[in-house]
């Protein structure tokens, strides 16, 4: 019964991973949209509780990532209680309870994946479904870019009609954004920035496939990775979102790949080549958009407290971050350790919003519910304690996954060898997703974020389940004993 229940749980988890990009297709309930991924996850959670936690007692033993996450959740509850007691603003308790409920649901996604995925087949199966869903998103975006810019065909290219399918998206829907006269790829994602953020979850896998480490096994290392055609198409679709943060995330992912898994003497050469490639991509994008990319980069200075605040369509995101950062720092000063409490940022914004935001009503509307970045929201609502505990949780996952991969390199397990490139690709993808969410996504609940973290957290247990076999080198040119 337990084995059967686990299979059902894993099936629903795979559907969760596949359905991440399809958030536009939701079940409308009371003016909100319940996304398909949430529905699949609820079913997965039911089977996990029935067959694992309640019957096997597996909840008794918590490992480090689970303990770190529980510490953060406890800190979030404490911050809510203290914030409500100190500030007692009208509506805080309702807003806070909703935010806490969403945060606990997000944490449940992590727990379910972490508890359910433990073997190579389960791990690779989950990643395969994630890649399949993101592949649909990427190639739909490629078609959209070609159709809207060059053929004028709107069939399955202009998704603006779908904005009413998920009421929760609301004003977040940007239709087909333009950049220098070109429609930006975003497919059925609400906007190009979210399109790029979701694709970030597999960009590391595409980098591994296109630029494999020379130490990978000659046979078998491609078996679990996406096809070269899918990888090339995904990278192209990612770039055609014309998202500045997409380029930054790509640089972070490449830096993580080279810095963590290449020898120092090779990192310099590899880094120089990657910089040239990125410079070429940057130049091509800037040329194609008539210099708009460079202009958008200049808007970053608006985030700084001393930067000029001049609203344009390209500067809106920078101004939103600038205003929220100022509010977050003032909220931190008011209560440095626990902040204004979960759900308190909108009320902090109402009190500490910079004077210049009054000139831009659209900013007030955007910032009412969205702090601009999760890092700023954590600073504002949970203070230094909440932010530290959250970063500790993330660092613990990345550190344990990296250590497990390094150990797999040393042991040179024949069964683990094909898994290592897959694990490396997922790990560096997750690093990119974390950077995106902390710096430019203001919600506690991001399915792609928590699924990526959950899968990355399973790397140690997945690799440790592989039987060992010596003298099978596959990373860093490990000596096989013949030299």
């Amino acid at each position: 019964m337990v084995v059967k229940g686990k299979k059902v749980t894993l099936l629903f988890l795979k559907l969760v991973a596949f359905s991440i990009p399809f958030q536009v297709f939701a079940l409308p309930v009371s003016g909100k949209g319940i996304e398909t991924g949430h529905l699949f996850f609820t079913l997965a959670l039911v089977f996990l509780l029935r067959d694992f936690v309640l019957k096997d007692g597996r909840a008794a033993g918590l490992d480090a990532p689970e303990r770190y996450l529980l510490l953060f959740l406890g800190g979030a509850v404490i911050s809510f209680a203290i914030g409500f007691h100190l500030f007692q603003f009208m509506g805080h308790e309702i807003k806070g309870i909703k935010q806490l409920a969403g945060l606990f649901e997000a944490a449940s996604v992590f727990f379910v994946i972490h508890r359910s995925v433990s073997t190579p087949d389960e791990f690779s199966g989950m990643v395969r479904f994630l890649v399949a869903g993101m592949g649909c998103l990427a190639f739909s975006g490629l078609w959209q870019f070609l159709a809207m810019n060059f053929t004028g065909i709107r069939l399955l290219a202009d998704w603006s009609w779908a904005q009413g399918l998920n009421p929760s998206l609301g004003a977040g829907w940007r239709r087909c954004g333009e950049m220098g006269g070109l429609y930006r790829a975003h497919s059925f994602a609400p906007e190009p920035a979210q399109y790029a953020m979701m694709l970030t979850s597999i960009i590391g896998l595409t980098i591994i496939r296109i630029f494999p480490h020379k130490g990978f096994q000659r046979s078998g290392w491609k078996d679990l990775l996406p096809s070269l055609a899918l990888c090339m198409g995904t990278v192209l679709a990612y770039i055609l979102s014309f998202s500045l943060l997409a380029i930054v995330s790509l640089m972070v992912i490449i830096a993580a790949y080279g810095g963590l898994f290449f020898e120092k003497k090779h990192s310099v050469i590899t880094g120089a080549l990657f910089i040239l490639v990125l410079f070429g991509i940057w130049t091509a994008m800037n040329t194609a958009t008539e210099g708009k990319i460079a202009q958008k980069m200049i808007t970053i200075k608006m985030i700084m407290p001393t930067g000029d605040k001049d609203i344009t369509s390209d500067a809106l995101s920078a101004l939103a971050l600038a205003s929220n950062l100022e509010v977050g720092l003032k909220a931190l000063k008011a209560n440095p350790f626990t902040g204004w409490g979960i759900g308190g940022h909108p009320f902090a914004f109402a009190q500490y919003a910079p004077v210049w935001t009054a000139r831009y009503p659209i900013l007030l509307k955007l910032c009412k519910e969205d702090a601009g970045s999760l890092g700023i929201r954590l600073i504002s609502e949970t203070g230094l304690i909440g932010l530290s505990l959250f970063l500790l949780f993330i660092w613990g996952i990345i550190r344990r996954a990296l250590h497990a991969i390094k150990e797999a390199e040393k042991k040179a397990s024949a069964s683990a060898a094909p898994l290592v490139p897959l694990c490396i690709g997922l790990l560096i993808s997750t690093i990119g997703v974390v950077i995106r969410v902390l710096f430019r996504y203001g919600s506690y609940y991001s399915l792609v974020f928590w699924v990526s973290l959950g899968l990355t957290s399973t790397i140690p247990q997945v690799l440790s389940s592989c039987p060992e076999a010596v003298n099978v080198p596959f990373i860093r040119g490990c000596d096989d004993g013949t030299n």
Side-chain angles (χ1 to χ4, degrees):
M1 176 64 76
V2 172
V3 174
K4 182 179 179 180
K6 184 175 183 180
K7 288 182 178 180
V8 176
T9 301
L10 288 169
L11 173 61
F12 284 122
L13 286 179
K14 290 175 181 177
L15 292 174
V16 169
F18 177 79
S19 64
I20 289 174
F22 301 92
Q23 66 182 117
V24 64
F25 304 104
L27 178 65
V29 176
S30 301
K32 298 291 184 180
I34 301 177
E35 299 167 16
T36 52
H38 294 203
L39 295 175
F40 288 134
F41 167 69
T42 301
L43 294 172
L45 180 60
V46 168
F47 280 93
L48 180 82
L49 290 172
R50 189 193 71 174
D51 290 323
F52 290 91
V53 176
L54 298 181
K55 289 193 175 183
D56 286 358
R58 292 183 62 178
L62 300 174
D63 59 15
E66 292 173 324
R67 290 195 296 270
Y68 292 152
L69 181 54
L70 287 178
L71 280 174
F72 168 70
L73 293 175
V77 173
I78 292 172
S79 76
F80 167 71
I82 293 177
F84 177 65
H85 173 72
L86 290 178
F87 303 107
Q88 296 185 359
F89 27 78
M90 187 69 67
H92 172 268
E93 68 281 5
I94 299 175
K95 179 70 174 177
I97 290 172
K98 288 181 178 179
Q99 291 291 322
L100 281 174
L103 183 57
F104 272 84
E105 181 187 359
S108 299
V109 173
F110 174 84
F111 275 109
V112 172
I113 294 176
H114 187 73
R115 292 257 161 181
S116 301
V117 179
S118 57
T119 68
D121 286 343
E122 294 166 355
F123 178 77
S124 60
M126 276 283 293
V127 176
R128 192 178 303 116
F129 270 72
L130 176 65
V131 170
M134 295 302 170
C136 292
L137 182 69
F139 280 89
S140 177
L142 283 178
W143 161 247
Q144 179 186 56
F145 182 82
L146 292 173
M148 297 294 287
N149 287 302
F150 303 107
T151 68
I153 299 174
R154 293 183 173 269
L155 179 64
L156 296 180
D158 182 1
W159 288 86
S160 58
W161 60 269
Q163 60 182 311
L165 295 179
N166 187 349
S168 296
L169 295 178
W173 191 274
R174 300 285 182 86
R175 301 176 182 259
C176 288
E178 291 188 46
M179 181 72 71
L182 288 175
Y183 283 106
R184 302 166 65 183
H186 71 82
S187 184
F188 38 79
E191 59 173 330
Q194 288 199 35
Y195 173 79
M197 187 186 77
M198 289 188 283
L199 290 182
T200 301
S201 63
I202 65 167
I203 286 297
L205 297 170
T206 67
I207 296 298
I208 292 287
R209 182 66 175 84
I210 298 171
F211 303 104
H213 191 289
K214 69 175 186 178
F216 289 162
Q217 282 287 329
R218 290 183 177 274
S219 61
W221 72 269
K222 300 178 183 178
D223 293 348
L224 301 179
L225 292 173
S227 69
L228 186 59
L230 190 149
C231 290
M232 296 292 287
T234 300
V235 171
L236 180 58
Y238 188 72
I239 293 170
L240 293 178
S241 68
F242 294 117
S243 169
L244 185 59
L245 268 176
I247 299 301
V248 173
S249 300
L250 184 60
M251 294 175 65
V252 168
I253 289 171
I254 290 173
Y257 183 31
L260 297 176
F261 299 102
F262 282 75
E263 294 179 355
K264 291 182 179 179
K265 61 182 179 180
H266 295 140
S267 293
V268 176
I269 299 175
T270 305
L273 291 175
F274 279 137
I275 289 174
L276 288 175
V277 171
L278 286 174
F279 179 75
I281 292 173
W282 171 270
T283 303
M285 289 175 62
N286 196 44
T287 302
T289 59
E290 301 175 356
K292 288 289 185 179
I293 295 292
Q295 293 177 28
K296 191 169 185 178
M297 187 172 184
I298 294 174
T299 64
I300 293 177
K301 67 181 183 181
M302 295 182 182
I303 300 174
M304 307 305 296
T306 57
D308 294 331
K309 308 300 189 283
D310 182 21
I311 191 166
T312 67
S313 59
D314 293 329
L316 187 58
S317 295
L319 289 174
L321 278 176
S323 58
N324 279 295
L325 179 59
E326 187 169 336
V327 169
L329 293 176
K330 289 180 178 178
L332 183 66
K333 186 177 180 180
N335 192 19
F337 297 108
T338 57
W340 274 52
I342 295 291
H345 181 77
F347 303 94
F349 192 91
Q351 179 163 335
Y352 297 130
V355 176
W356 53 264
T357 58
R359 306 199 305 264
Y360 312 123
I362 188 173
L363 270 183
L364 297 176
K365 183 178 180 180
L366 285 174
C367 298
K368 183 179 179 181
E369 300 294 335
D370 186 356
S373 84
L374 185 56
I376 294 176
R377 182 178 284 275
L378 287 166
I379 289 173
S380 176
E381 296 190 346
T382 66
L384 295 175
I385 293 177
L387 177 64
S388 299
L389 289 175
F390 192 75
L391 294 179
L392 178 64
F393 162 63
I394 293 174
W395 169 245
I397 292 172
I398 293 175
R399 181 183 60 82
R400 291 176 78 250
L402 181 61
H403 177 73
I405 293 172
K406 298 291 186 182
E407 287 298 308
E409 296 174 16
K410 295 176 182 177
K411 295 178 180 178
S413 166
S415 58
L419 276 174
V420 170
L422 185 67
C423 291
I424 292 175
L426 181 65
L427 174 60
I428 61 178
S429 293
T430 298
I431 291 173
V433 170
V434 166
I435 295 298
R436 286 296 300 265
V437 169
L438 285 177
F439 286 91
R440 195 64 187 94
Y441 194 84
S443 173
Y444 291 113
Y445 191 98
S446 168
L447 198 55
V448 66
F449 174 76
W450 290 98
V451 168
S452 296
L453 279 180
L455 282 173
T456 303
S457 75
T458 67
I459 288 177
Q461 58 210 43
V462 168
L463 288 177
S464 65
S465 70
C466 299
E468 296 182 14
V470 297
N471 297 330
V472 186
F474 51 91
I475 294 289
R476 293 185 184 275
C478 300
D479 189 1
D480 62 359
T482 60
N483 296 325

